[in-house]
Amino acid sequence: MLGSVRWNLVIGGIGMLLTFLVSLEKNGFAISSLRGLYAFIALFLIGFLFRAVLSLIVVGSPARATETSSAGLGGQVDAVTPDEGEDLNELLKSQLEGSLEPDGSEENAFKPIEPKRLVSTQNKNPEELAKALRHLSEEGK
């Protein structure tokens, strides 16, 4: 478990003091003391539970924690990335030579989109525009 019993004692003591002071306003000294004692016991036990859950989250399961610490496993990761130096050099050489792809094929080369040309309404006969507008407004009905 993380920490020590002192944490539980401090949490329980603070809870007991707050409960005693709040309860003292409306109850007598004996009842307030009894409620403070109950608060101390409850918070002391909740502190143990909280520390146990926190230790499981931080350390992991207790059995697994003792296994890894005794065997020394899991403390180091051996990760190696493959060497891609030659592939990179070939790609750079092919770009310097002017081809777009490393293997020389241009079928996958970049081609910009060529959208259809939009028809402009400038220099059109106003009567034709009015007819087209009437036709479109009649279709909508």
Side-chain angles (χ1 to χ4, degrees):
M1 262 192 246
L2 293 177
S4 64
V5 179
R6 280 188 248 154
W7 281 104
N8 297 48
L9 291 172
V10 169
I11 291 170
I14 291 172
M16 180 181 75
L17 183 65
L18 287 175
T19 305
F20 176 77
L21 292 175
V22 170
S23 178
L24 193 58
E25 292 177 9
K26 296 185 179 181
N27 299 311
F29 182 78
I31 300 294
S32 297
S33 298
L34 186 62
R35 289 184 179 168
L37 180 65
Y38 291 154
F40 176 81
I41 293 170
L43 289 173
F44 187 83
L45 294 175
I46 289 172
F48 267 115
L49 180 66
F50 180 73
R51 284 182 33 223
V53 169
L54 191 61
S55 68
L56 285 176
I57 292 171
V58 172
V59 178
S61 67
R64 190 173 56 179
T66 56
E67 272 181 22
T68 56
S69 63
S70 63
L73 299 176
Q76 181 176 341
V77 176
D78 296 327
V80 178
T81 58
D83 186 28
E84 297 178 349
E86 291 182 27
D87 294 336
L88 185 60
N89 286 336
E90 288 179 25
L91 178 65
L92 291 173
K93 285 178 186 177
S94 66
Q95 285 181 349
L96 285 175
E97 292 171 1
S99 67
L100 298 174
E101 293 294 320
D103 58 357
S105 67
E106 293 188 18
E107 62 189 35
N108 293 332
F110 174 75
K111 296 177 187 173
I113 297 176
E114 296 176 3
K116 295 180 182 178
R117 186 176 175 109
L118 297 175
V119 179
S120 82
T121 58
Q122 295 176 2
N123 301 328
K124 292 284 184 176
N125 188 358
E127 292 176 8
E128 290 179 13
L129 291 174
K131 283 181 186 178
L133 187 59
R134 285 186 202 112
H135 178 69
L136 290 173
S137 64
E138 288 176 3
E139 283 182 4
K141 291 181 181 179

